[in-house]
Structures are given as C-alpha cells and as structure tokens.
Amino acid sequence: QVQLVESGGGLVQAGGSLRLSCAASGRTLSTNGMGWFRQVPGKEREFVAAISWSGGIKYYADSVQGRFTISRDNAKNTVYLQMDSLKPEDTAIYYCAADASRWSLRRTEREYDYWGHGTQVTVSS
C-alpha cells in the first residue's frame, strides 16, 4: 500500500515562496510519474504540475508556468513543488499524486491512483 504525505504548506504573503514536499512510503515510486493538484472549496480539483519517473519531462498548468517548479529525488522517494511569486489565487489545498503505472506521465486527476491527504497553502494579499 502506497502512502503519500505532503508537507510544507502554510501562510505566505503575495510574492513569497513555499516549497511543498511529498514523501512516499510502501513502495518505491522511482519508475512512476507523479503530480501535484490543488483544490479550492466548492471547485473541482485542478492539475498543477507533473513529472516523469526520471525527472526529464515536466508539465505545468498555464496558471503556474514560470512560477512553480516540480522536481523529485528518487533516492528519497520524494517529490517537491517549489512555488515562487505566489498569488492570492494560488490559495488552495495542494495534493500529491502518484501513478501506479510505470513509465507514464499524466495530467488528469482520474489517471492517478494514489493520493495524499493534502496540505493547505494560503496566500494573503
């Protein structure tokens, strides 16, 4: 059973930065794509970023392109999301996700198999 635990969320002023971490346990995910999603109460969960198993391919939502950076450390079974130039509209619960299929890279919520419980990010204006 795979478990994903996010950390690093918090309250930050607009223009500031946060770094989210997602630590996986239960099995190694070094051959699996991983992603970050976010959700605002009352809205659907939306894609933020995804990274291939090697870290060589990355996808970003248009809304975060150029401000957020996804990365991973397979030795630590951990994926990161560096968030810079944060805006109030980035306020959401951020979720880490992993794909059970090897060698894949997904951008839609329904294609991910494992999910963390989320970490709150609040950006004040």
Side-chain angles (χ1 to χ4, degrees):
Q1 182 72 15
V2 173
Q3 290 187 329
L4 303 176
V5 179
E6 302 96 336
S7 62
L11 174 64
V12 64
Q13 288 188 333
S17 299
L18 283 174
R19 188 194 193 202
L20 305 184
S21 298
C22 172
S25 61
R27 59 169 274 199
T28 179
L29 294 175
S30 61
T31 59
N32 303 80
M34 297 189 71
W36 287 95
F37 290 76
R38 65 188 183 186
Q39 187 171 26
V40 175
K43 294 188 177 181
E44 293 186 353
R45 195 175 302 185
E46 66 174 2
F47 169 77
V48 175
I51 187 168
S52 64
W53 67 276
S54 66
I57 302 174
K58 303 174 184 181
Y59 294 142
Y60 295 97
D62 290 343
S63 59
V64 307
Q65 180 76 47
R67 300 187 298 120
F68 290 11
T69 303
I70 189 171
S71 62
R72 66 189 298 163
D73 184 338
N74 285 339
K76 296 182 178 179
N77 224 20
T78 299
V79 66
Y80 305 96
L81 185 68
Q82 177 67 41
M83 305 186 296
D84 299 317
S85 302
L86 282 161
K87 304 176 181 180
E89 51 263 44
D90 294 317
T91 296
I93 299 174
Y94 283 71
Y95 297 90
C96 173
D99 186 351
S101 300
R102 299 173 69 188
W103 319 121
S104 62
L105 183 58
R106 319 284 193 184
R107 278 179 281 195
T108 57
E109 179 183 359
R110 60 181 175 83
E111 294 180 294
Y112 281 85
D113 303 284
Y114 307 114
W115 291 86
H117 291 295
T119 184
Q120 176 72 47
V121 171
T122 303
V123 184
S124 63
S125 57

